[in-house]
């Protein structure tokens, strides 16, 4: 899926290309500033911007366990500012803005470690 920037006001960094790597369960995204991120489906699923995962405040964020095997079925464009990711566990309510995807790429290491620490503290597992 290749995007042509028609409205650069919606995100500080515009995606040039999104590549869904279904077999590898990853999304590759290239931005106009040269940044390229490879985001695993599991990471995207547990960081979904949906209310189901994020709640309605930071204190309500849900720790999503058991998604190590999750994949991505498809990507659905949402206007020219975001993409809906449909996961194979049928979660599809998160709309990932370009700015949020960029943030997920930049903060991947720290967010992933917080997630793993949270699972360990709760006695939960990544395994399905």
């Amino acid at each position: 899926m290749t995007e042509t920037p028609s409205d650069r006001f919606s995100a500080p960094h515009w995606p040039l290309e999104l590549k869904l790597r279904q077999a590898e369960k990853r999304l590759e995204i290239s931005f106009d500033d040269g940044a390229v991120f490879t985001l695993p489906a599991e990471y995207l699923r547990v960081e979904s911007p949906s209310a189901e995962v994020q709640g309605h405040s930071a204190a309500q964020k849900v720790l999503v366990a058991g998604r190590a095997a999750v994949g991505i079925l498809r990507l659905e464009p949402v206007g020219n500012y975001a993409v809906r990711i449909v996961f194979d566990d049928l979660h599809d309510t998160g709309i990932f803005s370009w700015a949020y995807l960029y943030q997920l790429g930049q903060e991947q290491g720290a967010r992933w470690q917080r997630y793993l620490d949270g699972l360990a503290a709760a006695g939960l597992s990544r395994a399905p």
Side-chain angles (χ1 to χ4, degrees):
M1 167 192 255
T2 302
E3 295 288 335
T4 303
S6 61
D7 179 6
R8 292 191 178 263
F9 300 108
S10 62
H13 302 287
W14 195 261
L16 299 176
E17 186 173 32
L18 281 77
K19 293 181 185 176
L20 176 56
R21 304 285 189 196
Q22 283 182 309
E24 294 89 7
K25 298 181 179 189
R26 298 182 179 282
L27 174 65
E28 292 178 10
I29 184 165
S30 303
F31 285 90
D32 60 358
D33 67 345
V36 178
F37 303 113
T38 300
L39 306 174
E42 179 185 9
Y43 174 60
L44 292 167
R45 175 61 177 89
V46 302
E47 292 292 338
S48 172
S50 69
E52 174 188 328
V53 174
Q54 298 298 327
H56 297 288
S57 72
Q60 293 180 338
K61 185 172 181 183
V62 175
L63 183 61
V64 181
R67 295 299 187 267
V70 75
I72 298 171
L73 292 175
R74 66 184 176 277
L75 305 175
E76 299 174 351
V78 177
N80 60 3
Y81 68 93
V83 64
R84 178 187 319 272
I85 300 176
V86 180
F87 296 91
D88 63 8
D89 67 355
L90 303 183
H91 177 76
D92 67 353
T93 58
I95 296 176
F96 291 77
S97 70
W98 306 141
Y100 187 58
L101 284 168
Y102 194 93
Q103 181 182 13
L104 287 176
Q106 283 191 310
E107 299 173 1
Q108 186 173 1
R111 282 177 178 257
W112 187 249
Q113 191 58 56
R114 277 194 306 272
Y115 172 67
L116 295 176
D117 292 346
L119 287 177
L124 299 171
S125 170
R126 292 177 52 218

